[in-house]
Amino acid sequence: MAALGNRGTVTEASGFNPEEDAQKIYNAMKGAGTNEATIIEILAHRTIAQRQKIKEAFKQSVGKELLDCLKSELTGNFEMIVVGLMMPAPVYDAYELKNAIKGAGTEEACLIDILASRSKAEIKEIIATYKKEHGKSLEDDVCGDTSGMFQRVLVSLLTAGRDESTKVDEAQAVQDAKDIYEAGEAHWGTDEVKFLTVLCVRNRNHLLRVFQEYQKISGRDIEDSIKREMSGCLEDAFLAIVKCMKNKPAFFAERLYKSMKGLGTTDSVLIRIMVARAEIDMLDIKAEFLKMYGKTLHSFIKGDTSGDYRKILLELCGGEK
């Protein structure tokens, strides 16, 4: 019942008693009104694995699905977070992808956030879960909702074919950097397939070498070139891949910052990252956030949200530092 990673703010609760937790949650919901504080106190301090045990215990003792009860009792962003917390990681990712695709318009940011940042094993699990939960192929759904080069990048990421070894082929790295340079900066018009071949297939260590070589050849950071050469969702997708390769917690820190700065909050992004990374690398995301923006993630969330939604986010954020 351990956490998914070892750099999370949510860790395994000691002396865990799922039956007791289930009873407390039931009591918090029965009768008029809901005691949200109890729900926050329990669910924000249990791992995903522990929450599954609470779900089982609740169903046994109450004869109802906990998720259904929570949905009928809670509303708004607070409900969205709690519902997310109750799902195993691949189920949550599949659920988010489904929501991003269905209905009018697509939330491309969600497709990019998830597919550019998950490992090969995680993507395979998401694909299998999507099929099981939604009865459809994720690739078919993605293809039905996207087009052009952006679609091709997503399809490539969905093959989960990235090399995950650590070896760097020096000669190949130099060649890759040249290929990308010649496909973009060096001539009029951009051959995006070359970017796709390198960015979606090579392993992380190799790509870091490619980025160094690219800087030497072009005098620019690869991110700058992508911004100059591309636009829209394709630009966002390639940038996300590059940023995740360089420093994944920094990628999420930037996404969180952008979700809150300026007018209004992009709650879907804030919720997705806080739920999905809470027991994986939230400590690193917080450290990167402070380093990049000179303010704590905690203070940003506090200033940008309110009510029970704010309370549960701050618990997942874990402390002011």
Side-chain angles (χ1 to χ4, degrees):
M1 288 207 271
L4 290 175
N6 57 5
R7 300 291 302 150
T9 44
V10 173
T11 53
E12 204 175 351
S14 56
F16 172 60
N17 182 333
E19 288 74 26
E20 202 178 291
D21 283 348
Q23 193 56 51
K24 281 183 186 165
I25 291 173
Y26 175 67
N27 292 340
M29 290 190 291
K30 76 169 197 242
T34 305
N35 182 349
E36 284 89 357
T38 301
I39 291 173
I40 295 169
E41 187 192 328
I42 295 172
L43 297 183
H45 298 106
R46 304 291 183 271
T47 60
I48 295 171
Q50 289 178 323
R51 293 183 204 122
Q52 304 317 301
K53 293 281 180 221
I54 297 171
K55 252 200 287 202
E56 285 165 29
F58 189 93
K59 194 172 183 174
Q60 261 175 349
S61 60
V62 182
K64 279 177 160 180
E65 289 287 354
L66 175 53
L67 207 51
D68 295 339
C69 294
L70 288 167
K71 282 178 182 172
S72 70
E73 289 290 324
L74 312 176
T75 57
N77 290 326
F78 181 61
E79 177 195 345
M80 280 168 70
I81 287 212
V82 172
V83 166
L85 289 173
M86 294 311 297
M87 297 179 186
V91 175
Y92 183 59
D93 281 345
Y95 168 81
E96 284 288 286
L97 290 166
K98 183 71 184 163
N99 286 338
I101 292 168
K102 74 170 195 223
T106 306
E107 196 207 330
E108 288 91 359
C110 172
L111 304 183
I112 296 168
D113 279 355
I114 293 175
L115 299 180
S117 66
R118 303 303 190 252
S119 71
K120 208 165 160 169
E122 285 169 332
I123 286 181
K124 284 182 175 160
E125 237 185 313
I126 292 166
I127 291 167
T129 306
Y130 192 95
K131 183 90 178 152
K132 198 173 101 195
E133 298 276 324
H134 307 293
K136 288 176 165 176
S137 139
L138 176 54
E139 188 186 319
D140 288 352
D141 278 2
V142 165
C143 286
D145 233 46
T146 56
S147 61
M149 206 61 209
F150 175 57
Q151 180 192 86
R152 287 166 68 175
V153 171
L154 297 179
V155 168
S156 173
L157 292 172
L158 281 169
T159 61
R162 185 182 298 285
D163 165 24
E164 285 192 341
S165 72
T166 52
K167 67 174 198 291
V168 178
D169 179 333
E170 282 294 332
Q172 186 63 57
V174 173
Q175 190 57 52
D176 284 344
K178 272 188 188 148
D179 285 350
I180 296 181
Y181 178 63
E182 278 158 18
E185 290 282 359
H187 74 103
W188 192 79
T190 307
D191 177 3
E192 289 115 347
V193 180
K194 280 279 195 290
F195 280 81
L196 186 156
T197 305
V198 176
L199 294 179
C200 296
V201 178
R202 309 284 190 256
N203 74 56
R204 178 170 182 259
N205 285 7
H206 183 89
L207 280 174
L208 295 177
R209 231 7 239 107
V210 173
F211 302 156
Q212 284 174 345
E213 279 303 319
Y214 186 86
Q215 176 87 42
K216 268 192 220 166
I217 298 168
S218 68
R220 280 181 208 288
D221 188 281
I222 181 87
E223 290 180 38
D224 293 337
S225 288
I226 290 170
K227 286 176 192 163
R228 281 162 55 94
E229 296 293 317
M230 296 171 202
S231 61
C233 298
L234 182 63
E235 176 192 339
D236 293 341
F238 280 141
L239 282 175
I241 294 167
V242 169
K243 286 172 180 176
C244 284
M245 287 296 155
K246 287 181 176 176
N247 182 338
K248 202 179 284 182
F251 167 73
F252 286 121
E254 183 189 5
R255 296 289 295 132
L256 286 168
Y257 176 75
K258 287 185 171 167
S259 78
M260 291 183 279
K261 80 169 176 70
L263 279 173
T265 307
T266 314
D267 294 294
S268 58
V269 175
L270 178 57
I271 292 169
R272 181 166 57 245
I273 296 172
M274 295 306 292
V275 169
R277 310 311 292 187
E279 60 182 80
I280 300 176
D281 53 5
M282 188 53 69
L283 294 172
D284 299 325
I285 292 169
K286 282 168 69 175
E288 290 295 341
F289 193 97
L290 183 59
K291 203 160 84 186
M292 290 158 77
Y293 305 110
K295 290 204 172 113
T296 63
L297 175 59
H298 193 280
S299 69
F300 247 72
I301 292 171
K302 200 172 175 181
D304 229 58
T305 56
S306 61
D308 294 312
Y309 175 46
R310 174 204 274 165
K311 283 178 194 158
I312 198 163
L313 281 172
L314 292 177
E315 291 300 316
L316 293 174
C317 178
E320 294 185 25
K321 292 284 177 283

